[in-house]
Amino acid sequence: MDLLARDLHQPELPVVCRSCEARNGGICSALKPAQLAELSKHSSRRKIEAGNEFIGQGESVSSYSNILNGVVKLSKVMADGRQQIVGLQFAPDFMGRPFQGESRMAAEAATDTEICIFPRRAIERLIADIPELEHQLHNQALKELDEARDWMLTLGRKTAQEKVASFLSLIASHSDPEQQDISSVFELPLSRAEIADFLGLTIETVSRQMTKLRKEGIIQIENNRHVTVPDLDRLAFAAGND
Amino acid sequence: MDLLARDLHQPELPVVCRSCEARNGGICSALKPAQLAELSKHSSRRKIEAGNEFIGQGESVSSYSNILNGVVKLSKVMADGRQQIVGLQFAPDFMGRPFQGESRMAAEAATDTEICIFPRRAIERLIADIPELEHQLHNQALKELDEARDWMLTLGRKTAQEKVASFLSLIASHSDPEQQDISSVFELPLSRAEIADFLGLTIETVSRQMTKLRKEGIIQIENNRHVTVPDLDRLAFAAGND
DNA sequence: CGCGAAAGTTGATGTGGATCAATTCGCCCT
DNA sequence: AGGGCGAATTGATCCACATCAACTTTCGCG
């Protein structure tokens, strides 16, 4: 990685993953400065353009990474091409899982994304030394498990309308501008096709339900991607969350 | 727990959770004998009849437990009664999650079940002392996460036929009689209604698809619950796994 | 600025699974 | 064995979402 050298010579980046430290939940926040400095010798920062797959399904994993910004989608594909997105990861999530040789799904940048890459070995050595690090990863796994199970309810039991509203709620809850309690404005990180793959629907049904929500005044959409939600409670209601 | 005293006085149970030790993955297998003896002072064994809910959705969790035998279903319910089973747990899975006050779903015994209960405090104290224990729980969480994501593909993208076949494959893979590679015989741990809630279908559709699989010779069913699969590969094929 | 491709929308029609409605089966109880 | 009841099956019909097809919007690019 030639990016490594560059990062280390920028004075404004004294340690790699300063970004992680700044946010809660990043893997680096469990490390002491000395450990962080050690880790930073082996890590590098990388930009990935929207649409680029960086871990293929069934591929072996030789590195792990923190997401610094952007959205990453995790997906599974069946032999005949049917696809299901099984998770979305936002900064500062940690990706790749220690002590497991190969990925059981594909990871692809949904938006332009920056990640901080750690070689597999370095991470596994650190985990052996620092119990707090495993605790942190364990918590992230539990968080992802909760999200996956919530989504199972959505996939199995909700109507198309509720699914689309649930998706919009999910994205709204991850749009950083400090949790507007009532309203929210954000850019959709996914295309209609990707939303369909996340919700177990077709593009057309997603489009129709978005139009319906728009006509009911629950959302406004500009340029396909820019969404305004005037009343998050109404959206949550449409999503079936009481 | 009056059961506690009883267990401690049975000479054939010198430490609680002997059963866990015997199987791989139980929480006790990470403990040294001394730690196990200590833990056993606070733990107790309990039988739960099929159909009994023992952790309600939104209830606070004051104990954790190992499943010794039987099948436990984890489910979520919407306000209007729609239900989704989000996971099945088999022995020797660990249930309840440390450091998290309340359960986000209900746990109910699907079959008659025996569990070994540990008070919340005892477990959390042990975890602080024994990194290996957290490693073990982390691994279980990752396993459950994989299962949840596999099931998301099933819920979102498979047909009713494939869903039912996927379910039967899942149960077959957990029926202990030493992994018959080609064929398998087992009792269904769930009723048709529960299978429907697991698959995001209705009772009638589950029944029709079972009939169809039966008529195609992929399975045989006796007395509603007793299933014979002469060729597991054919079943896997019907489940959409290539 | 205007062309072209990709993405999204909208409409018409088809269909897999839901819903409604009888039976039939399996099991407990005496 | 027989009666009663919940669970499961089977059939008829319906409808939410898929599919197929045409059209429109957005956006990159010379």
Side-chain angles (χ1 to χ4, degrees):
Chain A
M1 304 279 139
D2 52 358
L3 293 167
L4 176 61
R6 202 201 58 189
D7 278 353
L8 289 177
H9 288 102
Q10 287 191 352
E12 61 276 37
L13 283 176
V15 289
V16 169
C17 288
R18 192 186 46 162
S19 311
C20 314
E21 281 190 288
R23 295 167 180 259
N24 203 5
I27 192 180
C28 301
S29 59
L31 304 180
K32 293 189 189 119
Q35 296 163 329
L36 199 57
E38 173 62 22
L39 181 60
S40 75
K41 285 185 198 153
H42 305 288
S43 59
S44 62
R45 186 184 278 247
R46 197 165 127 201
K47 284 187 207 294
I48 298 166
E49 282 177 22
N52 272 29
E53 185 177 88
F54 53 99
I55 306 175
Q57 192 169 352
E59 217 169 83
S60 78
V61 181
S62 60
S63 63
Y64 305 117
S65 44
N66 260 347
I67 301 178
L68 303 183
N69 55 63
V71 179
V72 172
K73 59 181 216 205
L74 305 176
S75 60
K76 289 177 178 272
V77 197
M78 291 174 65
D80 62 4
R82 280 176 287 176
Q83 197 169 39
Q84 176 68 45
I85 294 181
V86 296
L88 289 181
Q89 313 240 241
F90 301 83
D93 291 345
F94 183 73
M95 289 193 308
R97 95 185 20 181
F99 309 115
Q100 184 209 274
E102 83 175 30
S103 172
R104 307 193 58 231
M105 61 217 159
E108 183 181 322
T111 63
D112 289 348
T113 296
E114 272 187 301
I115 62 176
C116 180
I117 302 182
F118 312 98
R120 187 188 159 105
R121 287 291 166 75
I123 289 290
E124 290 176 358
R125 214 179 313 121
L126 272 178
I127 288 175
D129 290 349
I130 312 171
E132 171 60 18
L133 190 52
E134 178 134 40
H135 185 62
Q136 190 121 353
L137 293 175
H138 183 193
N139 277 342
Q140 161 142 352
L142 291 174
K143 195 196 73 180
E144 286 179 34
L145 182 57
D146 282 339
E147 288 166 357
R149 285 175 167 164
D150 281 341
W151 214 249
M152 286 173 73
L153 178 62
T154 300
L155 287 171
R157 288 305 185 195
K158 289 189 182 178
T159 65
Q161 169 95 250
E162 291 169 333
K163 284 180 177 181
V164 171
S166 297
F167 170 75
L168 293 170
S169 285
L170 177 71
I171 301 302
S173 73
H174 279 280
S175 68
D176 5 22
E178 281 316 312
Q179 291 293 42
Q180 301 111 309
D181 278 335
I182 342 171
S183 68
S184 181
V185 179
F186 52 87
E187 298 294 313
L188 288 177
L190 303 187
S191 69
R192 298 294 185 274
E194 290 170 319
I195 296 172
D197 280 343
F198 193 30
L199 297 172
L201 298 171
T202 58
I203 302 181
E204 294 93 328
T205 299
V206 170
S207 178
R208 277 185 247 271
Q209 297 305 334
M210 300 262 278
T211 303
K212 194 144 168 271
L213 290 170
R214 192 156 40 70
K215 288 190 174 155
E216 288 167 356
I218 294 174
I219 58 171
Q220 290 144 37
I221 310 181
E222 282 153 47
N223 296 349
N224 290 340
R225 293 285 186 126
H226 188 84
V227 177
T228 304
V229 182
D231 182 350
L232 287 168
D233 282 345
R234 277 190 79 195
L235 184 62
F237 182 76
N241 304 325
D242 318 343
Chain B
M1 308 276 139
D2 52 357
L3 293 167
L4 176 60
R6 201 203 59 194
D7 278 356
L8 288 176
H9 289 102
Q10 287 192 351
E12 61 276 36
L13 282 176
V15 289
V16 169
C17 288
R18 195 185 43 165
S19 311
C20 313
E21 282 191 289
R23 294 168 182 255
N24 203 4
I27 193 181
C28 302
S29 59
L31 304 179
K32 292 183 191 127
Q35 296 164 329
L36 199 56
E38 173 62 23
L39 180 61
S40 74
K41 286 186 198 154
H42 306 287
S43 57
S44 61
R45 187 184 279 245
R46 196 166 128 199
K47 284 187 207 294
I48 298 167
E49 282 178 23
N52 272 29
E53 185 177 87
F54 52 99
I55 306 176
Q57 190 168 353
E59 217 169 84
S60 78
V61 181
S62 60
S63 64
Y64 305 117
S65 45
N66 261 348
I67 301 177
L68 302 183
N69 55 63
V71 179
V72 172
K73 60 181 214 206
L74 305 176
S75 61
K76 289 178 178 270
V77 196
M78 290 175 65
D80 64 3
R82 278 175 287 176
Q83 196 168 40
Q84 177 67 46
I85 294 180
V86 297
L88 291 181
Q89 315 240 242
F90 301 83
D93 291 345
F94 183 74
M95 288 193 310
R97 90 185 25 179
F99 309 117
Q100 184 209 274
E102 85 175 31
S103 171
R104 307 194 57 233
M105 59 217 162
E108 183 181 322
T111 63
D112 287 349
T113 297
E114 272 188 299
I115 62 176
C116 179
I117 302 182
F118 312 99
R120 187 189 158 105
R121 285 293 166 74
I123 289 291
E124 291 177 357
R125 211 178 315 120
L126 272 178
I127 288 175
D129 289 350
I130 312 168
E132 172 59 18
L133 189 51
E134 176 133 42
H135 185 62
Q136 190 122 352
L137 293 175
H138 185 193
N139 276 343
Q140 162 143 352
L142 291 174
K143 194 196 75 183
E144 287 179 32
L145 182 57
D146 281 341
E147 287 166 357
R149 284 174 168 164
D150 281 341
W151 213 250
M152 286 173 72
L153 177 62
T154 300
L155 287 172
R157 290 303 186 196
K158 289 190 181 175
T159 64
Q161 168 96 249
E162 290 168 334
K163 284 180 176 182
V164 171
S166 297
F167 169 75
L168 294 170
S169 285
L170 177 70
I171 301 302
S173 75
H174 280 279
S175 69
D176 5 23
E178 281 316 310
Q179 290 293 43
Q180 301 109 309
D181 279 336
I182 343 171
S183 67
S184 181
V185 179
F186 51 88
E187 298 293 314
L188 288 178
L190 304 187
S191 69
R192 298 294 186 273
E194 291 170 318
I195 296 172
D197 280 342
F198 193 31
L199 296 172
L201 298 170
T202 57
I203 303 182
E204 295 93 329
T205 300
V206 170
S207 177
R208 277 185 246 273
Q209 296 305 333
M210 300 262 278
T211 303
K212 195 145 168 269
L213 289 170
R214 193 158 38 74
K215 288 192 173 154
E216 287 167 356
I218 295 174
I219 57 172
Q220 289 144 38
I221 309 182
E222 283 154 45
N223 297 349
N224 288 340
R225 293 285 186 124
H226 187 84
V227 177
T228 304
V229 182
D231 181 350
L232 287 168
D233 283 345
R234 275 189 80 196
L235 184 62
F237 182 77
N241 306 325
D242 318 344

Short mmCIF file of all heavy atoms in Angstrom, two decimals, chain A residues 159-160 200-202 204-205 208 223, chain D residues 16-21 25-27:
data_model
loop_
_atom_site.label_atom_id
_atom_site.label_comp_id
_atom_site.label_asym_id
_atom_site.label_seq_id
_atom_site.Cartn_x
_atom_site.Cartn_y
_atom_site.Cartn_z
N THR A 159 -45.73 -5.26 5.06
CA THR A 159 -46.18 -5.01 3.70
C THR A 159 -45.15 -4.16 2.97
O THR A 159 -44.24 -3.60 3.59
CB THR A 159 -47.50 -4.23 3.71
OG1 THR A 159 -47.25 -2.94 4.29
CG2 THR A 159 -48.56 -4.93 4.51
N ALA A 160 -45.29 -4.05 1.65
CA ALA A 160 -44.37 -3.27 0.84
C ALA A 160 -44.29 -1.83 1.37
O ALA A 160 -43.21 -1.27 1.53
CB ALA A 160 -44.80 -3.28 -0.61
N GLY A 200 -36.38 -7.05 -0.18
CA GLY A 200 -37.01 -8.23 -0.75
C GLY A 200 -38.18 -7.87 -1.65
O GLY A 200 -39.21 -8.53 -1.64
N LEU A 201 -38.04 -6.77 -2.42
CA LEU A 201 -39.09 -6.32 -3.33
C LEU A 201 -38.49 -6.12 -4.72
O LEU A 201 -37.32 -6.40 -4.95
CB LEU A 201 -39.66 -4.98 -2.83
CG LEU A 201 -40.34 -4.95 -1.46
CD1 LEU A 201 -40.63 -3.52 -1.04
CD2 LEU A 201 -41.61 -5.77 -1.48
N THR A 202 -39.31 -5.63 -5.65
CA THR A 202 -38.79 -5.26 -6.97
C THR A 202 -38.63 -3.73 -7.03
O THR A 202 -39.22 -3.00 -6.23
CB THR A 202 -39.77 -5.67 -8.08
OG1 THR A 202 -41.03 -5.04 -7.83
CG2 THR A 202 -39.94 -7.16 -8.15
N GLU A 204 -39.89 -1.71 -9.14
CA GLU A 204 -41.17 -1.05 -9.43
C GLU A 204 -41.99 -0.86 -8.16
O GLU A 204 -42.59 0.21 -7.95
CB GLU A 204 -41.98 -1.87 -10.44
CG GLU A 204 -41.36 -1.96 -11.83
CD GLU A 204 -40.49 -3.19 -12.00
OE1 GLU A 204 -39.87 -3.63 -11.00
OE2 GLU A 204 -40.42 -3.72 -13.11
N THR A 205 -42.02 -1.89 -7.33
CA THR A 205 -42.80 -1.77 -6.10
C THR A 205 -42.21 -0.70 -5.18
O THR A 205 -42.95 0.09 -4.58
CB THR A 205 -42.87 -3.13 -5.38
OG1 THR A 205 -43.50 -4.06 -6.24
CG2 THR A 205 -43.66 -3.04 -4.10
N ARG A 208 -43.23 2.66 -6.61
CA ARG A 208 -44.64 2.96 -6.36
C ARG A 208 -44.88 3.35 -4.90
O ARG A 208 -45.64 4.29 -4.61
CB ARG A 208 -45.49 1.73 -6.71
CG ARG A 208 -45.83 1.63 -8.18
CD ARG A 208 -46.78 0.47 -8.42
NE ARG A 208 -46.13 -0.59 -9.18
CZ ARG A 208 -46.12 -0.65 -10.52
NH1 ARG A 208 -46.71 0.28 -11.23
NH2 ARG A 208 -45.51 -1.64 -11.13
N ASN A 223 -34.74 15.09 -6.98
CA ASN A 223 -33.64 14.47 -7.74
C ASN A 223 -33.38 13.02 -7.35
O ASN A 223 -32.24 12.58 -7.31
CB ASN A 223 -32.35 15.26 -7.54
CG ASN A 223 -32.47 16.66 -8.11
OD1 ASN A 223 -33.42 16.97 -8.83
ND2 ASN A 223 -31.52 17.50 -7.80
P DA D 16 -54.64 -5.84 -1.39
OP1 DA D 16 -55.42 -5.84 -0.13
OP2 DA D 16 -54.83 -4.76 -2.40
"O5'" DA D 16 -53.09 -5.90 -1.02
"C5'" DA D 16 -52.60 -7.01 -0.31
"C4'" DA D 16 -51.25 -7.45 -0.85
"O4'" DA D 16 -51.42 -8.16 -2.10
"C3'" DA D 16 -50.28 -6.32 -1.15
"O3'" DA D 16 -49.00 -6.76 -0.70
"C2'" DA D 16 -50.33 -6.16 -2.67
"C1'" DA D 16 -50.65 -7.57 -3.13
N9 DA D 16 -51.48 -7.69 -4.33
C8 DA D 16 -52.51 -6.87 -4.71
N7 DA D 16 -53.11 -7.24 -5.82
C5 DA D 16 -52.44 -8.39 -6.19
C6 DA D 16 -52.59 -9.28 -7.28
N6 DA D 16 -53.53 -9.14 -8.23
N1 DA D 16 -51.76 -10.31 -7.36
C2 DA D 16 -50.82 -10.47 -6.41
N3 DA D 16 -50.57 -9.72 -5.34
C4 DA D 16 -51.43 -8.68 -5.29
P DC D 17 -47.75 -5.75 -0.62
OP1 DC D 17 -47.03 -6.08 0.62
OP2 DC D 17 -48.21 -4.37 -0.89
"O5'" DC D 17 -46.86 -6.23 -1.86
"C5'" DC D 17 -46.41 -7.58 -1.88
"C4'" DC D 17 -46.08 -7.97 -3.29
"O4'" DC D 17 -47.26 -7.94 -4.12
"C3'" DC D 17 -45.03 -7.11 -4.01
"O3'" DC D 17 -43.94 -7.96 -4.31
"C2'" DC D 17 -45.78 -6.57 -5.22
"C1'" DC D 17 -46.85 -7.64 -5.43
N1 DC D 17 -48.04 -7.23 -6.22
C2 DC D 17 -48.51 -8.06 -7.24
O2 DC D 17 -47.93 -9.13 -7.47
N3 DC D 17 -49.59 -7.67 -7.96
C4 DC D 17 -50.20 -6.52 -7.69
N4 DC D 17 -51.25 -6.20 -8.42
C5 DC D 17 -49.73 -5.65 -6.65
C6 DC D 17 -48.65 -6.03 -5.94
P DA D 18 -42.72 -7.63 -5.26
OP1 DA D 18 -41.52 -8.24 -4.67
OP2 DA D 18 -42.75 -6.20 -5.61
"O5'" DA D 18 -43.08 -8.48 -6.58
"C5'" DA D 18 -43.18 -9.89 -6.47
"C4'" DA D 18 -43.30 -10.52 -7.85
"O4'" DA D 18 -44.54 -10.12 -8.47
"C3'" DA D 18 -42.20 -10.15 -8.83
"O3'" DA D 18 -41.88 -11.31 -9.60
"C2'" DA D 18 -42.82 -9.03 -9.68
"C1'" DA D 18 -44.30 -9.41 -9.67
N9 DA D 18 -45.21 -8.25 -9.66
C8 DA D 18 -45.23 -7.23 -8.75
N7 DA D 18 -46.16 -6.34 -8.97
C5 DA D 18 -46.80 -6.82 -10.11
C6 DA D 18 -47.90 -6.32 -10.86
N6 DA D 18 -48.56 -5.20 -10.55
N1 DA D 18 -48.29 -7.03 -11.92
C2 DA D 18 -47.64 -8.17 -12.23
N3 DA D 18 -46.61 -8.73 -11.60
C4 DA D 18 -46.24 -7.99 -10.54
P DT D 19 -40.70 -11.29 -10.67
OP1 DT D 19 -40.19 -12.67 -10.74
OP2 DT D 19 -39.83 -10.14 -10.39
"O5'" DT D 19 -41.44 -10.98 -12.05
"C5'" DT D 19 -42.54 -11.78 -12.44
"C4'" DT D 19 -43.14 -11.20 -13.71
"O4'" DT D 19 -43.93 -10.03 -13.39
"C3'" DT D 19 -42.10 -10.74 -14.75
"O3'" DT D 19 -42.43 -11.41 -15.96
"C2'" DT D 19 -42.30 -9.23 -14.83
"C1'" DT D 19 -43.75 -9.08 -14.41
N1 DT D 19 -44.15 -7.78 -13.82
C2 DT D 19 -45.25 -7.14 -14.32
O2 DT D 19 -45.91 -7.57 -15.25
N3 DT D 19 -45.57 -5.96 -13.69
C4 DT D 19 -44.91 -5.38 -12.63
O4 DT D 19 -45.30 -4.32 -12.15
C5 DT D 19 -43.75 -6.09 -12.16
C7 DT D 19 -42.96 -5.55 -11.01
C6 DT D 19 -43.43 -7.25 -12.76
P DC D 20 -41.39 -11.34 -17.22
OP1 DC D 20 -41.45 -12.68 -17.85
OP2 DC D 20 -40.11 -10.76 -16.78
"O5'" DC D 20 -42.11 -10.29 -18.20
"C5'" DC D 20 -43.49 -10.47 -18.51
"C4'" DC D 20 -43.99 -9.25 -19.26
"O4'" DC D 20 -44.30 -8.19 -18.32
"C3'" DC D 20 -43.01 -8.67 -20.28
"O3'" DC D 20 -43.73 -8.39 -21.47
"C2'" DC D 20 -42.51 -7.40 -19.59
"C1'" DC D 20 -43.76 -6.99 -18.82
N1 DC D 20 -43.55 -6.07 -17.68
C2 DC D 20 -44.49 -5.06 -17.45
O2 DC D 20 -45.46 -4.95 -18.20
N3 DC D 20 -44.29 -4.23 -16.40
C4 DC D 20 -43.24 -4.38 -15.60
N4 DC D 20 -43.10 -3.54 -14.58
C5 DC D 20 -42.27 -5.40 -15.82
C6 DC D 20 -42.46 -6.23 -16.87
P DA D 21 -42.97 -7.86 -22.80
OP1 DA D 21 -43.63 -8.55 -23.93
OP2 DA D 21 -41.51 -7.96 -22.61
"O5'" DA D 21 -43.37 -6.30 -22.84
"C5'" DA D 21 -44.73 -5.94 -22.67
"C4'" DA D 21 -44.84 -4.44 -22.62
"O4'" DA D 21 -44.57 -3.96 -21.27
"C3'" DA D 21 -43.86 -3.69 -23.54
"O3'" DA D 21 -44.57 -2.66 -24.21
"C2'" DA D 21 -42.84 -3.11 -22.56
"C1'" DA D 21 -43.76 -2.82 -21.36
N9 DA D 21 -43.07 -2.63 -20.10
C8 DA D 21 -42.01 -3.33 -19.60
N7 DA D 21 -41.60 -2.92 -18.43
C5 DA D 21 -42.46 -1.87 -18.14
C6 DA D 21 -42.56 -1.00 -17.04
N6 DA D 21 -41.76 -1.05 -15.98
N1 DA D 21 -43.53 -0.05 -17.07
C2 DA D 21 -44.34 0.01 -18.14
N3 DA D 21 -44.34 -0.75 -19.22
C4 DA D 21 -43.37 -1.68 -19.16
P DT D 25 -40.86 14.21 -17.20
OP1 DT D 25 -42.03 14.91 -16.68
OP2 DT D 25 -40.19 14.63 -18.47
"O5'" DT D 25 -39.75 14.21 -16.05
"C5'" DT D 25 -39.75 13.18 -15.07
"C4'" DT D 25 -38.32 12.85 -14.70
"O4'" DT D 25 -37.76 11.95 -15.67
"C3'" DT D 25 -37.38 14.05 -14.64
"O3'" DT D 25 -36.94 14.17 -13.30
"C2'" DT D 25 -36.25 13.70 -15.62
"C1'" DT D 25 -36.37 12.19 -15.73
N1 DT D 25 -35.89 11.57 -17.00
C2 DT D 25 -34.85 10.68 -16.94
O2 DT D 25 -34.27 10.39 -15.91
N3 DT D 25 -34.51 10.12 -18.15
C4 DT D 25 -35.10 10.37 -19.38
O4 DT D 25 -34.70 9.81 -20.39
C5 DT D 25 -36.19 11.32 -19.37
C7 DT D 25 -36.88 11.66 -20.65
C6 DT D 25 -36.53 11.87 -18.19
P DT D 26 -35.97 15.35 -12.82
OP1 DT D 26 -36.27 15.62 -11.41
OP2 DT D 26 -36.01 16.43 -13.84
"O5'" DT D 26 -34.54 14.67 -12.90
"C5'" DT D 26 -34.30 13.46 -12.17
"C4'" DT D 26 -32.91 12.97 -12.51
"O4'" DT D 26 -32.90 12.45 -13.85
"C3'" DT D 26 -31.84 14.06 -12.44
"O3'" DT D 26 -30.84 13.63 -11.53
"C2'" DT D 26 -31.34 14.19 -13.89
"C1'" DT D 26 -31.67 12.81 -14.46
N1 DT D 26 -31.91 12.74 -15.94
C2 DT D 26 -31.22 11.80 -16.67
O2 DT D 26 -30.42 11.02 -16.19
N3 DT D 26 -31.52 11.81 -18.01
C4 DT D 26 -32.42 12.64 -18.68
O4 DT D 26 -32.58 12.54 -19.89
C5 DT D 26 -33.09 13.59 -17.84
C7 DT D 26 -34.06 14.54 -18.46
C6 DT D 26 -32.80 13.61 -16.53
P DC D 27 -29.69 14.62 -11.05
OP1 DC D 27 -29.44 14.32 -9.63
OP2 DC D 27 -29.99 15.99 -11.50
"O5'" DC D 27 -28.44 14.10 -11.91
"C5'" DC D 27 -28.25 12.69 -12.11
"C4'" DC D 27 -27.22 12.48 -13.20
"O4'" DC D 27 -27.85 12.52 -14.51
"C3'" DC D 27 -26.13 13.58 -13.23
"O3'" DC D 27 -24.87 12.99 -13.44
"C2'" DC D 27 -26.54 14.43 -14.43
"C1'" DC D 27 -27.09 13.35 -15.35
N1 DC D 27 -27.98 13.86 -16.44
C2 DC D 27 -27.99 13.18 -17.67
O2 DC D 27 -27.27 12.20 -17.82
N3 DC D 27 -28.80 13.64 -18.65
C4 DC D 27 -29.57 14.70 -18.45
N4 DC D 27 -30.35 15.10 -19.46
C5 DC D 27 -29.57 15.41 -17.21
C6 DC D 27 -28.77 14.96 -16.24
#
